[in-house]
Amino acid sequence: ETLEFFRVLWGVAAARGAEGTVREHVGVCYDVCHQAVEFEEPHECVAALDRAGVRVNKVQVSCAIELLAPAENRAGREALRPFVEPRFLHQLFARTRDGRTVGAVDLSHDFLNDPGPDFATAEAWRIHYHVPVNAERLGPLGTTRASLPPALAAVALLPYAPHVEVETYTWSVLPGEGSRDIVTGLAHEIDATQRLLDAAR
């Protein structure tokens, strides 16, 4: 979809004599967990964008929630309930046992009570709920942190350096008891991201 968007954009820009300017300045903001929740491989996506000439102007380092084997993982399904909240949309995707990817608009109690057959029998669920990028697990839940090293390794191969930012905006709605030390949490995220960037060089 992104590649098709830029193909159309460049065509319109060319007709108006602005293709060079558009190609130089208009690019994508690549959010790692947005790709991960749809079960896309980040290194393949970044490479495809580069081959097509689409600039990656910004990389958002982010992690989402992952639930493996939801049919058998009752504790994991129940652990999702505190993440139901109305402020942000938390889209869900599942990888079915026959290899399809299916989606739902938002994490809700109704969904958790009755996810439907595709989700109920899926290999894994991924939920667009930004969680700290240094977290590999949240109790019985996993995260998409494993997508970060290949994504940043692919970005390191680009012939230019995109802007990189950590994008966990959900600190105010993360479940848990008591107040959070956001400064310490952010420092841990930035430190973890720096280590990933160092390893990608």
Side-chain angles (χ1 to χ4, degrees):
E1 292 172 352
T2 302
L3 296 179
E4 176 60 14
F5 169 83
F6 276 91
R7 187 189 68 77
V8 173
L9 175 67
W10 292 334
V12 172
R16 298 181 181 183
E19 183 179 2
T21 300
V22 170
R23 282 182 178 268
E24 181 179 356
H25 295 288
V26 180
V28 298
C29 174
Y30 184 88
D31 189 309
V32 179
C33 92
H34 289 186
Q35 303 304 121
V37 296
E38 295 198 43
F39 295 89
E40 295 187 5
E41 295 295 337
H43 63 285
E44 293 177 4
C45 295
V46 172
L49 291 168
D50 187 45
R51 283 194 305 271
V54 177
R55 287 186 60 84
V56 179
N57 288 337
K58 180 187 283 189
V59 176
Q60 291 183 320
V61 177
S62 57
C63 284
I65 297 171
E66 181 175 63
L67 174 63
L68 299 177
E72 296 84 34
N73 191 348
R74 182 180 179 86
R77 294 195 315 273
E78 288 304 310
L80 285 173
R81 290 191 183 278
F83 288 90
V84 175
E85 61 84 28
R87 185 168 175 185
F88 303 111
L89 272 179
H90 302 292
Q91 301 92 335
L92 296 91
F93 293 87
R95 173 62 52 85
T96 64
R97 297 191 188 273
D98 61 2
R100 290 177 297 122
T101 301
V102 295
V105 173
D106 197 11
L107 178 66
S108 67
H109 292 295
D110 287 343
F111 173 87
L112 292 173
N113 292 336
D114 182 16
D118 281 340
F119 277 91
T121 61
E123 292 180 348
W125 296 356
R126 291 181 178 175
I127 299 97
H128 175 232
Y129 196 117
H130 286 227
V131 295
V133 300
N134 54 309
E136 294 185 9
R137 298 208 60 78
L138 303 164
L141 299 170
T143 73
T144 60
R145 190 172 195 279
S147 294
L148 293 177
L152 294 176
V155 169
L157 295 175
L158 296 172
Y160 54 90
H163 177 78
V164 176
E165 69 178 14
V166 177
E167 207 236 347
T168 305
Y169 57 82
T170 52
W171 286 95
S172 63
V173 293
L174 283 171
E177 297 296 325
S179 62
R180 296 179 179 276
D181 182 351
I182 296 178
V183 172
T184 299
L186 293 175
H188 287 160
E189 287 195 294
I190 292 169
D191 180 64
T193 300
Q194 184 62 60
R195 291 172 188 272
L196 290 169
L197 290 170
D198 291 344
R201 291 183 182 147

